Amino acid sequence: MADQPWMSSITDIGPGNIRVRGYHITDIMEHLSFAETVFLILKGELPNKAEAEMMRAILVASIDHGCSPPSVLGTRNVVSGGNSLNAAIAGGVLVIGDSHGGAIENAAKIMQSWAKKDGDTAMLADELVDYLRENKIRMPGFGHRLHNVDPRTLKLFEIAERCGFSGRHIELCKAIEKALETKTGRALPINVDGAIGAVISDMGFDYRLGKGFFIISRVPGLLAHAYEEMTREKPMRQLGNRNYAYDGPGPREIEK
Ligand SMILES: CC(C)(COP(=O)(O)OP(=O)(O)OC[C@H]1O[C@@H](n2cnc3c(N)ncnc32)[C@H](O)[C@@H]1OP(=O)(O)O)[C@@H](O)C(=O)NCCC(=O)NCCS
């Protein structure tokens, strides 16, 4: 039906009028922080004090993690190749995936579906880890190359406790960490993705928003890396691991 308008409930605009979820943008500018505004646009309602505090911590947690993460190397490589800022940020965001940053989505998906089941979280975690091991699946949101205990995880859980968000998902998340260690014999700490996945689940967010929290948090970090690469490094420098050896076919000729 051609005359049916396309409906959206996010932002109403008209001449001199911009209302996000019903609130005038100038009131938001006057009264809300960026984290509170992100909560408003995603949930459709203003955060209460506890939600605002939790949201601020989530968005700060992943702002940067040095030069080694794949998304940072992505951004810096795009700059180094001689491309613009928007291409560099887009390049870094494209690198975010199930193994880096994007693990929030799958961690939250698994925890949201398992937390609904009956039974205590220790028993559910045991069952889940058995299932993952039988199917050779890594549990998203667990394990870290650098941290034995991820300080961001501890802080997020501490704030969640203080703000009243320490619910069944965080409990399940901690139980999964224990079950992984018992069953694999290897310490696989809850990483920042796993912690955010658990916290947003206890805050009532849909797991499909998961990657978004990492992207919103990491873009300022990528911007800082892109700018540093532009202003401090020479073009097309060799980034990443140079310890590279060839193991393909030996020299050969095309038969004419
Ligand atoms: C983050 C990550 C890539 C770090 O990996 P790493 O410390 O270099 O460890 P490796 O990839 O060498 O794996 C070492 C072993 O631990 C196991 N392992 C690592 N993370 C695991 C996980 N999350 N669940 C189950 N097993 C895991 C591997 O299967 C491997 O076992 P194996 O030696 O029997 O084959 C890895 O832990 C992972 O893939 N985690 C899940 C994805 C994730 O959470 N990403 C967000 C990172 S912030």
Side-chain angles (χ1 to χ4, degrees):
M1 294 217 261
D3 55 353
Q4 282 288 333
W6 163 27
M7 302 307 293
S8 167
S9 63
I10 303 171
T11 303
D12 189 22
I13 53 160
N17 183 44
I18 306 165
R19 285 185 178 271
V20 178
R21 304 289 191 187
Y23 295 100
H24 203 282
I25 194 72
T26 52
D27 278 346
I28 296 175
M29 290 160 70
E30 184 71 31
H31 299 293
L32 299 193
S33 68
F34 181 66
E36 288 167 324
T37 311
V38 172
F39 185 98
L40 170 67
I41 204 161
L42 295 181
K43 277 260 189 170
E45 295 299 333
L46 293 175
N48 60 30
K49 206 164 163 285
E51 287 165 332
E53 191 177 345
M54 197 70 249
M55 196 69 184
R56 182 184 53 72
I58 290 171
L59 295 188
V60 170
S62 308
I63 191 158
D64 194 38
H65 195 268
C67 290
S68 61
S71 54
V72 171
L73 292 172
T75 283
R76 283 184 176 262
N77 267 307
V78 174
V79 172
S80 204
N83 295 288
S84 63
L85 189 71
N86 53 321
I89 302 299
V93 170
L94 281 174
V95 177
I96 293 169
D98 290 347
S99 303
H100 166 47
I104 298 173
E105 178 181 318
N106 286 334
K109 184 178 182 183
I110 292 172
M111 288 187 264
Q112 287 180 17
S113 103
W114 282 71
K116 280 197 201 109
K117 298 177 191 243
D118 291 332
D120 78 6
T121 48
M123 184 202 79
L124 291 173
D126 275 353
E127 262 178 51
L128 169 60
V129 171
D130 286 344
Y131 167 81
L132 295 169
R133 282 166 60 75
E134 274 156 31
N135 292 282
K136 302 200 180 330
I137 301 169
R138 289 183 180 211
M139 177 63 205
F142 292 76
H144 205 283
R145 283 207 181 117
L146 181 64
H147 307 296
N148 296 327
V149 177
D150 191 325
R152 300 164 296 181
T153 297
L154 291 185
K155 188 45 105 177
L156 283 165
F157 286 169
E158 179 194 315
I159 296 172
E161 179 80 41
R162 187 167 76 222
C163 292
F165 293 116
S166 250
R168 190 159 164 85
H169 299 95
I170 294 180
E171 193 181 294
L172 178 62
C173 186
K174 290 178 180 171
I176 295 169
E177 185 183 44
K178 281 203 188 105
L180 280 170
E181 181 159 11
T182 310
K183 287 175 187 285
T184 66
R186 189 191 297 273
L188 291 165
I190 305 166
N191 59 44
V192 72
D193 288 15
I196 292 175
V199 172
I200 62 164
S201 299
D202 275 335
M203 292 176 82
F205 281 105
D206 188 318
Y207 71 85
R208 286 170 292 191
L209 287 168
K211 279 196 180 90
F213 291 93
F214 189 85
I215 294 168
I216 296 167
S217 181
R218 186 51 63 95
V219 161
L222 295 179
L223 179 57
H225 281 280
Y227 183 70
E228 188 176 80
E229 188 68 30
M230 278 171 187
T231 53
R232 198 162 150 173
E233 303 296 341
K234 60 180 191 176
M236 213 183 138
R237 71 184 174 115
Q238 197 168 1
L239 274 152
N241 187 358
R242 293 176 196 214
N243 185 16
Y244 147 83
Y246 176 76
D247 69 351
R252 46 187 173 167
E253 305 296 326
I254 295 172
E255 278 180 35
K256 293 168 191 131

